[in-house]
Amino acid sequence: MIQGDLRVTAPIRWAMVGGGRGSQIGYSHRCAALRDNSFQLLAGAFDIDPERGRDFGEALRVAPERCYPDYRTLFVEEARREDGIQAVSIATPNGTHFAICKAALEAGLHVVCEKPLCFTVEEAETLRALARERRCLVGVTYGYAGHQLIRQARAMIAAGELGEIRMVHMQFAHGFHSEAVELANPSTRWRVDPKHAGPSYVLGDLATHPYYIAETLLPDRRIKRLLCSRQSFVESRAPLEDNAYVLMEYEGGIMGHLWASAVNAGSMHGQKVRVIGSKASLEWWDEHPNQLRYEVQGEPVRILERGMDYLSPEAREDDRIGAGHPEGLFEAWANLYGRFALAMEALDRDDTAAVEALGIPGIEAGVEGVRWVEHCVRSAEAGAVWVDYR
C-alpha cells in the first residue's frame, strides 16, 4: 500500500502542453501526476492563446517565465536551463498529438500522451522508432488500465483460474451525445470533425480504452482478423461514427466483441470488460471499479473487493487507502503516472527490464491502438467485411 513514500529518487521535472483552464482532461493529468509527488509541474504551454495560457499557468503557481506561448518555445527554452524539464504531457486535440510528441522526443523528453497517439500506423511507427533511438518513454493514458482490479484479473487469467479462454466482450457505450451536443459545445465539436479527430470518433475516443484493457488481460493473444460496422446516428457527424460494433477473431480461436457508442441513451459511462473461460468468467465495470465479478460455473457469484488480503500482491501494491473506501478514476490515473515516473527513471539508467516489468501502456500500446482503429475503419468502409489483421 502507498503510504506517502516517494517512489522515485526525485520528482520528475514536468510540463504540460494543453490542458488549460476549463480542460477536464488537463485536470485529470495534473491530479494523477501530482498525487504521489512523482512529478513536479514546472512549465507549460497551456493554451493556444498565449495570454490565457500564461494566466492559467501562473494560477497553478508555475513561474511566469516558464509559461510559454507554444510547445516549440517550451522545448527550446527548457533545454537551455540546468533545471529544465525531463518530461511533458500532451493534453491537446487529437490532430496535434503526432507533431507535439515528435518534437518532444526530438528534444529528448519523456512523453505522456492522450490517446489516440496519432492518426496512422505510419506516424505511430515513426514515434516508436524515435522513442527507441532517444531512449525516451512514451506513455499513453488508457486511464483505467491502471486500476488495481485490472491487475488482479490479469493475474487470475494467467494462473488458469478461468480455464481455457473462449471469449472477451468489451464495451464503452455512454449516452451523453445522443443528440448533436457539439452544436453548442466547442470542446465536443472537434471530436466529430475529421480534421481534428482523425478517421474515427467513438472507435478512437472510446473503444481503444476497453480494447487496451483486454490486451492487458490477454497479453499473448493476437488478432487474426476483424469485422467492423459503424454508424452515424446523428447524421451531421458523418463520416465519423457515433456507434460501432467490432467482431474479432484471435489466434487460438478466441472470439472478441466490442461495442462503442456515444448514443447509448441513459447510460452514464458503460465501460465493461468480460473475459469468459471454460471454467469461469471475470467482469469489470468502471461504474463499480472497486469490484471484480468472479463467476465460476455452477457456483454462486463472488465479488472481489479492492484492497482485500485475498487479492494478488500486484493488485494491492498501488492501494492508497484500505478496503471499504472507494477508489476510482483519479487513483487509476495516478497509478499509471506513478509507474510512468518509475519507467522514465529506469530508462534514464538504461534499465529496460525494469520498464517491461511495470506493465504500462507505452509506445507499443499507442501503436497498436492506432493500428486497431485503422483496421476497423478499413473494414467498415469496405461494407463491414472481415479484414486480415496485420
Side-chain angles (χ1 to χ4, degrees), residues 119 121 199-200 203 223-230 239 241 244-247 369-390:
F119 285 170
V121 171
S200 76
L203 286 166
I223 298 173
K224 287 174 58 180
R225 59 180 189 152
L226 62 73
L227 181 154
C228 175
S229 174
R230 59 180 187 162
E241 78 291 336
Y245 302 96
V246 185
L247 291 177
V370 174
R371 189 189 312 278
W372 183 80
V373 171
E374 202 168 86
H375 280 74
C376 288
V377 171
R378 186 160 63 93
S379 169
E381 290 185 345
V385 299
W386 285 101
V387 296
D388 291 336
Y389 202 82
R390 57 180 187 267

Side-chain angles (χ1 to χ4, degrees), residues 9-79:
T9 305
I12 303 293
R13 300 188 301 276
W14 174 60
M16 288 194 72
V17 176
R21 183 170 283 117
S23 169
Q24 177 177 291
I25 207 68
Y27 181 69
S28 296
H29 279 272
R30 288 188 293 277
C31 284
L34 302 175
R35 180 67 54 103
D36 299 313
N37 294 316
S38 297
F39 290 81
Q40 184 180 11
L41 182 62
L42 296 175
F46 299 102
D47 198 298
I48 196 169
D49 181 301
E51 290 201 11
R52 267 199 324 243
R54 178 177 175 136
D55 180 68
F56 181 69
E58 290 186 34
L60 295 177
R61 296 181 175 84
V62 174
E65 68 274 14
R66 299 180 81 171
C67 298
Y68 298 100
D70 55 71
Y71 70 87
R72 294 180 184 86
T73 307
L74 164 67
F75 299 158
V76 169
E77 294 300 321
E78 286 295 309

Side-chain angles (χ1 to χ4, degrees), residues 85-158:
I85 59 169
Q86 300 165 282
V88 63
S89 290
I90 301 169
T92 56
N94 299 355
T96 64
H97 292 176
F98 174 72
I100 301 172
C101 189
K102 183 172 181 288
L105 292 171
E106 288 171 342
L109 297 171
H110 300 295
V111 178
V112 177
C113 187
E114 266 302 308
K115 51 79 196 123
L117 183 62
C118 49
F119 285 170
T120 69
V121 171
E122 182 180 6
E123 290 177 340
E125 290 177 341
T126 296
L127 296 178
R128 175 168 59 188
L130 192 52
R132 288 174 175 173
E133 175 191 329
R134 300 301 176 98
R135 300 192 67 77
C136 291
L137 178 80
V138 178
V140 184
T141 47
Y142 295 124
Y144 271 120
H147 199 278
Q148 298 95 307
L149 288 182
I150 299 301
R151 305 188 83 188
Q152 172 68 21
R154 177 183 170 122
M156 293 174 69
I157 293 167

